[in-house]
């Protein structure tokens, strides 16, 4: 018995990589949006045990058809035992999971090429060889995928699908009660080595009585220079830098009323001698920048290629570039902290996750129309 009630008759499956709720990023957003378009979507999370029983599947989004799966192998076997045939699309973003398509016997494999982390590069080739299509989030990644295509000539479709924003968050400007005297700069994201910490610390020191910086997020891949006690001591020296910890995605709008400027202090590729960090920043299309735009508030950002191009091509005001302490201080002195930019919100409405899911839907349809649906890629039969 075929279960073909879903859009294009397909179930989209994403392998276990991120916890659905903890690190709410592009894969979760795309899966939720695809479910709203009518696909059955199965997002794999870790094994969950309730009342002594292992839960295989749990419906999460009642507005669509998004399911969280805690054991994909058992899920596939259960459908088989029930006599249900399911056509699957393997959607993966971590190159190491390219074998996922073989494990679930997918018809189509789509690689979401998100970043250029050094630790992941060794999997790029196998990911490309095992996909029917690659969605690149940035120009740099699109070019790298094209290089792989030129070398291996697999016929895989390559397209650029940038990040986006929710598009459905309403900010009540009248509820913005900013009673604090100094501007609050809010950074949301990983507390990681690719942030220009030296410049941020110096900026905080020289503007001690003029600015407060809020860091929202978990520490991630912090090296010896700032990790553990070293980083804690640095924070103690700068009480106007406040590490606030992790906020779940749905809680982030609560920061709006106490934020004057959203902050994206990633290290610009032109301002570092660390090639790994430079490569990461050249390829990044920061998801938080899109979410910042949706608020309509001013944004301080380093000159990341994707951000600079986006602002230049779309004439976005209210985005202030700074790569040094001096430039940050200058932008702070010129800041109108109460000014809102409706252009940001309007642009955000045109770049939501539903727009990106529609791009992916069009990609899937084109693959089906072209007959590019290689059956069950060769690979591991068990998930990594």
């Amino acid at each position: 018995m075929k279960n073909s009630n879903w859009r294009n008759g397909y179930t989209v499956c994403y392998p276990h990589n991120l916890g659905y709720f903890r690190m709410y990023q592009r894969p979760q957003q795309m899966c939720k949006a695809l479910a709203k378009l009518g696909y059955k979507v199965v997002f794999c999370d870790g094994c969950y045990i309730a009342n002594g029983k292992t839960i295989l599947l749990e419906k999460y989004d009642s507005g669509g058809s998004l399911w969280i799966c805690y054991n994909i192998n058992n899920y596939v076997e259960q459908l088989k035992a029930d006599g249900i045939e399911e056509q699957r699309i393997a959607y993966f973003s971590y190159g190491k999971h390219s074998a996922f398509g073989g494990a679930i016997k997918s018809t189509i494999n789509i690689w979401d090429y998100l970043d250029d982390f050094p630790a992941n590069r060794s999997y790029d080739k196998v990911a490309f060889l095992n996909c029917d299509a690659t969605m690149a989030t940035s120009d740099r990644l699109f070019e790298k995928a094209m290089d792989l295509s030129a070398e291996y000539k697999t016929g895989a479709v390559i397209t650029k699908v940038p990040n986006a924003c929710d598009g459905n968050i309403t900010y009540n400007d009248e509820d913005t009660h900013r009673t604090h005297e100094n501007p609050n700069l809010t950074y949301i994201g990983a507390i990681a080595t690719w942030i220009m910490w030296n410049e941020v610390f110096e900026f905080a020191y020289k503007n001690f009585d003029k600015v407060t910086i809020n860091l929202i997020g978990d520490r991630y891949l912090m090296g010896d220079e700032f990790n553990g006690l070293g980083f804690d001591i640095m924070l103690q020296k700068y009480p106007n830098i406040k590490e606030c910890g992790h906020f779940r995605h749905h809680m982030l709008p609560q920061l709006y009323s106490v934020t004057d400027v959203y902050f994206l202090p990633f290290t610009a590729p032109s301002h570092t001698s660390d090639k790994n960090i430079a490569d990461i920043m050249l390829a990044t299309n920061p998801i938080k920048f899109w979410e910042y735009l949706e608020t309509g508030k001013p944004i301080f950002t380093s000159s990341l290629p994707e951000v600079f191009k986006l602002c230049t091509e779309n004439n976005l005001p209210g985005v202030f570039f700074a790569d040094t302490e001096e430039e940050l201080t200058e932008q702070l002195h010129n800041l109108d902290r109460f000014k809102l930019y409706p252009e940001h919100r309007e642009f955000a409405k045109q770049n939501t996750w539903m727009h990106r899911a529609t791009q992916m839907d069009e990609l899937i349809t084109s693959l089906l129309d072209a007959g590019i649906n290689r059956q069950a890629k060769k690979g591991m039969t068990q998930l990594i």
Side-chain angles (χ1 to χ4, degrees):
M1 178 178 67
K2 284 193 175 183
N3 188 352
S4 57
N5 295 326
W6 313 111
R7 187 171 182 85
N8 279 326
Y10 275 84
T11 296
V12 177
C13 298
Y14 183 85
H16 174 46
N17 182 26
L18 304 167
Y20 187 84
F21 300 102
R22 181 66 182 177
M23 293 287 288
Y24 199 81
Q25 297 284 335
R26 175 183 172 107
Q28 292 95 321
Q29 294 276 22
M30 288 291 281
C31 285
K32 185 174 181 179
L34 286 168
K36 288 183 177 179
L37 283 179
Y39 287 94
K40 179 182 178 181
V41 180
V42 175
F43 187 98
C44 298
D45 209 320
C47 183
Y48 173 62
I49 296 181
N51 300 322
K53 297 181 180 180
T54 300
I55 307 298
L56 295 185
L57 203 65
E58 181 177 50
K59 191 165 187 180
Y60 169 63
D61 180 22
S62 59
S65 48
L66 173 62
W67 299 75
I68 297 176
C69 179
Y70 299 101
N71 191 317
I72 188 67
N73 289 320
N74 287 359
Y75 165 75
V76 170
E77 290 303 315
Q78 186 64 55
L79 287 184
K80 184 178 179 181
D82 292 341
I84 298 175
E85 296 180 30
E86 184 177 70
Q87 296 190 98
R88 303 185 186 96
I89 297 168
Y91 164 51
F92 64 97
S93 56
Y94 181 26
K96 191 176 181 180
H97 290 152
S98 60
F100 182 66
I104 64 170
K105 297 179 173 58
S106 61
T107 303
I108 297 173
N109 293 348
I110 297 177
W111 177 30
D112 207 3
Y113 196 7
L114 305 186
D115 49 49
D116 191 20
F117 280 93
N120 297 347
R121 284 182 202 140
S122 61
Y123 301 109
D124 288 355
K125 174 183 173 182
V126 69
F128 187 77
L129 291 175
N130 280 281
C131 75
D132 300 295
T134 297
M135 301 190 303
T137 58
S138 68
D139 286 344
R140 172 83 166 203
L141 296 178
F142 181 85
E143 292 165 3
K144 293 189 72 171
M146 291 298 290
D147 289 342
L148 288 168
S149 178
E151 182 174 0
Y152 298 108
K153 298 178 174 59
T154 64
V157 177
I158 302 170
T159 186
K160 184 179 178 184
V161 181
N163 283 320
C165 61
D166 292 83
N168 57 0
I169 298 176
T170 301
Y171 295 95
N172 188 342
D173 298 329
E174 294 182 1
D175 286 345
T176 301
H177 302 298
R178 287 178 274 187
T179 58
H180 47 275
E181 182 178 352
N182 295 325
N184 267 347
L185 273 62
T186 298
Y187 164 71
I188 304 170
I191 312 301
T193 53
W194 50 77
I195 291 177
M196 51 181 187
W197 289 116
N198 290 329
E199 290 77 7
V200 170
F201 285 136
E202 188 176 0
F203 171 62
Y205 172 74
K206 292 191 175 179
N207 296 280
F208 176 77
D209 58 346
K210 299 182 181 68
V211 69
T212 299
I213 300 171
N214 302 306
L215 306 177
I216 311 297
D218 290 328
R219 297 188 190 185
Y220 179 70
L221 297 178
M222 294 291 280
D224 294 336
E225 184 177 359
F226 293 119
N227 198 15
L229 183 62
F231 188 66
D232 290 333
I233 289 176
M234 293 297 287
L235 289 178
Q236 290 171 17
K237 292 171 64 177
Y238 304 98
N240 57 333
I241 299 180
K242 303 183 184 300
E243 188 178 21
C244 305
H246 176 79
F247 278 50
R248 284 198 171 185
H249 183 77
H250 72 275
M251 298 169 61
L252 296 179
Q254 298 174 17
L255 300 169
Y256 178 78
S257 62
V258 295
T259 296
D260 299 294
V261 180
Y262 283 91
F263 196 24
L264 190 64
F266 289 176
T267 301
S270 58
H271 284 70
T272 179
S273 58
D274 187 322
K275 187 179 184 304
N276 286 333
I277 289 181
D279 287 345
I280 292 171
M281 293 300 105
L282 281 169
T284 192
N285 184 278
I287 190 171
K288 289 305 172 193
F289 181 76
W290 294 90
E291 293 172 358
Y292 290 172
L293 285 173
E294 192 171 11
T295 71
K297 289 197 174 182
I299 300 170
F300 282 8
T301 178
S302 56
S303 52
L304 302 172
E306 286 286 314
V307 173
F308 187 80
K309 178 184 177 184
L310 185 72
C311 294
T312 302
E313 290 183 348
N314 295 281
N315 298 313
L316 292 176
V319 179
F320 305 97
F321 291 91
D323 297 307
T324 65
E325 174 275 317
E326 292 82 6
E327 291 172 349
L328 283 168
T329 298
E330 181 181 357
Q331 300 290 19
L332 180 66
H333 289 168
N334 295 330
L335 173 68
D336 180 353
R337 59 186 279 209
F338 296 104
K339 185 171 183 178
L340 294 174
Y341 295 89
E343 298 93 336
H344 290 192
R345 292 176 176 174
E346 189 58 36
F347 184 74
K349 288 178 183 177
Q350 300 167 22
N351 291 275
T352 68
W353 289 114
M354 286 302 296
H355 288 96
R356 303 299 184 250
T358 299
Q359 285 182 263
M360 186 171 171
D361 174 50
E362 292 170 351
L363 173 63
I364 292 168
T365 301
S366 69
L367 289 171
L368 292 173
D369 289 346
I372 304 176
N373 54 358
R374 305 176 218 164
Q375 290 287 342
K377 305 292 182 290
K378 293 180 181 179
M380 297 176 63
T381 56
Q382 297 296 317
L383 303 187
I384 298 172

